[in-house]
């Protein structure tokens, strides 16, 4: 670690002398590494969102790996022996209803990659399917009966669930997803819009966060777009120490940019 710090420091010698300069660079590097570790979840969520939204817009597009995944798509944790349904919600215009099909196993995570609610077999619908009402940050409106209610701390939210092979065939589970899945604003419950189901098996795209300097640009985008009240002060403080703070421009100088690039 010390050797890395010294390499990052390079020939940066300030008027206060080389020893103090190295000490300062070392402190900045250590903070950047800690900030990096804490930023891995939201950065990878943004990469996940960017990759999936290449298929189509949030709230109206439902990508399905109808014949399972393969190595052409880059993901963090999935396997290649079950079909996935994998889509994004945008709550900026208010609550959304997601009608979930029976016999799925899934979850909803927020933009900080934090669990919001289980869906399907281990969720409140117990594998029978049902209507989930997803509420945006700070929502104080009326909550109607008849829904499984989830409150999210962020506007962007990711839903993924698995269906299962039946006698070795993925088609029955995929067909149920297409038949029963609906996504619509609560205000349009009486007339849900049509969804676009897209088979993404074999598609070449990436949902894993970048390394080097772009990592920090991804983090800054999430911090600027989403409420930060649910993020602990220590994490926000470390991000602020390397120049990422809500409502403020992220514009590191050449010295700090070099340190951030090395840390990521």
């Amino acid at each position: 670690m010390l050797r890395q710090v010294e390499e990052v420091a390079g020939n940066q010698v300030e008027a206060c002398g080389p020893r103090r300069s190295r000490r300062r660079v070392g402190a900045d590097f250590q903070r950047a590494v800690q900030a990096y570790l804490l930023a891995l979840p939201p950065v990878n969520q943004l990469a996940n969102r960017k990759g999936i939204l290449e298929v189509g817009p949030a709230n109206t597009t439902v990508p399905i790996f109808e014949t399972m995944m393969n190595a052409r798509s880059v993901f963090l944790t999935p396997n290649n022996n079950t079909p996935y349904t994998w889509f994004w919600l945008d709550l900026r215009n208010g609550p959304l209803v997601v009608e979930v099909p029976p016999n799925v196993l899934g979850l909803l995570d927020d933009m900080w990659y934090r669990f919001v609610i289980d869906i399907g077999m281990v969720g409140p619908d117990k594998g029978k399917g049902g209507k989930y009402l997803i509420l945006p940050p700070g929502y104080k409106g009326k909550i109607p009966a008849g829904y499984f209610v989830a409150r999210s701390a962020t506007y962007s939210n990711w839903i993924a669930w698995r269906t299962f092979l039946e006698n070795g065939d993925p088609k029955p589970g995929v067909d149920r997803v297409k038949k029963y899945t609906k996504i619509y604003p609560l205000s349009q419950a009486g007339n849900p819009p049509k969804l676009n189901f897209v088979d993404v098996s074999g598609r070449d795209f990436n949902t894993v966060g970048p390394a080097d300097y772009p990592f920090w640009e991804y983090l800054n985008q999430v911090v600027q777009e989403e409420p930060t009240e649910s993020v602990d002060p220590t994490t926000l403080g470390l991000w602020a120490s390397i120049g990422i703070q809500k409502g403020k421009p992220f514009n590191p100088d050449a010295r700090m940019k070099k340190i951030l690039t090395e840390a990521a």
Side-chain angles (χ1 to χ4, degrees), residues 8 15 85 163-164:
V8 173
T85 302
T163 52
F164 300 92

Side-chain angles (χ1 to χ4, degrees), residues 155-178:
Y155 293 108
S156 284
N157 292 269
W158 165 60
I159 287 181
W161 64 59
R162 299 178 179 189
T163 52
F164 300 92
L165 304 183
E166 299 180 20
N167 297 317
D169 186 3
K171 190 174 185 301
V174 170
D175 287 346
R176 280 194 297 272
V177 170
K178 293 180 178 180

Side-chain angles (χ1 to χ4, degrees), residues 91-103:
L91 302 175
R92 294 181 191 283
N93 291 326
L96 288 174
V97 177
V98 179
E99 295 192 15
V100 174
N103 300 322

Side-chain angles (χ1 to χ4, degrees), residues 3 5 20 24 34 39 45 52 82 103 127 138 225 228:
R3 180 175 298 174
V5 173
R20 187 171 177 184
R24 177 185 172 192
Q34 292 299 315
Q45 273 294 60
I52 293 300
T82 183
N103 300 322
E225 288 180 353
T228 56

Side-chain angles (χ1 to χ4, degrees), residues 10-256:
N11 294 321
Q12 299 176 47
V13 179
E14 301 174 343
C16 56
R19 182 175 297 177
R20 187 171 177 184
S21 177
R22 288 196 195 95
R23 198 175 296 136
R24 177 185 172 192
V25 172
D28 286 340
F29 180 77
Q30 293 292 341
R31 281 192 290 267
V33 170
Q34 292 299 315
Y36 167 83
L37 294 173
L38 292 168
L40 282 168
V43 167
N44 278 288
Q45 273 294 60
L46 181 57
N48 179 1
R49 190 181 76 185
K50 284 178 178 288
I52 293 300
L53 295 189
E54 291 177 4
V55 179
N59 301 349
T60 60
T61 308
V62 181
I64 309 176
F65 292 86
E66 295 188 18
T67 54
M68 280 81 80
M69 289 189 177
N70 60 30
R72 293 182 63 86
S73 298
V74 181
F75 285 79
L76 281 178
T77 59
N79 57 53
N80 64 357
N81 58 12
T82 183
Y84 285 94
T85 302
W86 195 288
F87 59 92
W88 278 86
L89 305 178
D90 185 345
L91 302 175
R92 294 181 191 283
N93 291 326
L96 288 174
V97 177
V98 179
E99 295 192 15
V100 174
N103 300 322
V104 301
L105 177 67
L107 80 170
L108 184 151
D109 282 353
D110 69 14
M111 198 62 187
W112 305 116
Y113 229 134
R114 290 199 289 217
F115 168 83
V116 177
I117 193 170
D118 283 315
I119 291 172
M121 296 175 179
V122 294
D125 69 278
K126 305 300 182 184
K128 298 178 181 179
K131 298 179 180 181
Y132 286 72
L133 178 59
I134 317 302
L135 304 178
Y139 181 76
K140 297 180 180 178
K142 185 178 180 180
I143 301 175
Y147 296 94
F148 303 117
V149 179
R151 292 184 177 272
S152 177
T154 63
Y155 293 108
S156 284
N157 292 269
W158 165 60
I159 287 181
W161 64 59
R162 299 178 179 189
T163 52
F164 300 92
L165 304 183
E166 299 180 20
N167 297 317
D169 186 3
K171 190 174 185 301
V174 170
D175 287 346
R176 280 194 297 272
V177 170
K178 293 180 178 180
K179 180 178 180 179
Y180 293 107
T181 303
K182 295 180 181 179
I183 305 169
Y184 50 87
L186 180 60
S187 60
Q188 296 181 28
N191 187 27
K194 185 177 180 180
L195 295 177
N196 181 27
F197 295 94
V198 182
D199 181 7
V200 291
S201 291
R203 185 184 178 100
D204 185 2
F205 60 95
N206 176 48
T207 65
V208 176
D212 299 330
Y213 184 73
F215 179 95
W216 304 106
E217 295 175 322
Y218 272 49
L219 174 61
N220 184 61
Q221 181 178 340
V222 179
V223 169
Q224 302 308 327
E225 288 180 353
E226 296 290 356
T228 56
E229 287 79 5
S230 66
V231 182
D232 66 272
T234 299
T235 296
L236 292 176
L238 277 166
W239 292 345
S241 74
I242 51 98
I244 295 177
Q245 195 168 3
K246 192 169 187 67
K248 296 185 178 181
F250 175 52
N251 188 27
D253 59 21
R255 182 194 73 89
M256 195 63 193

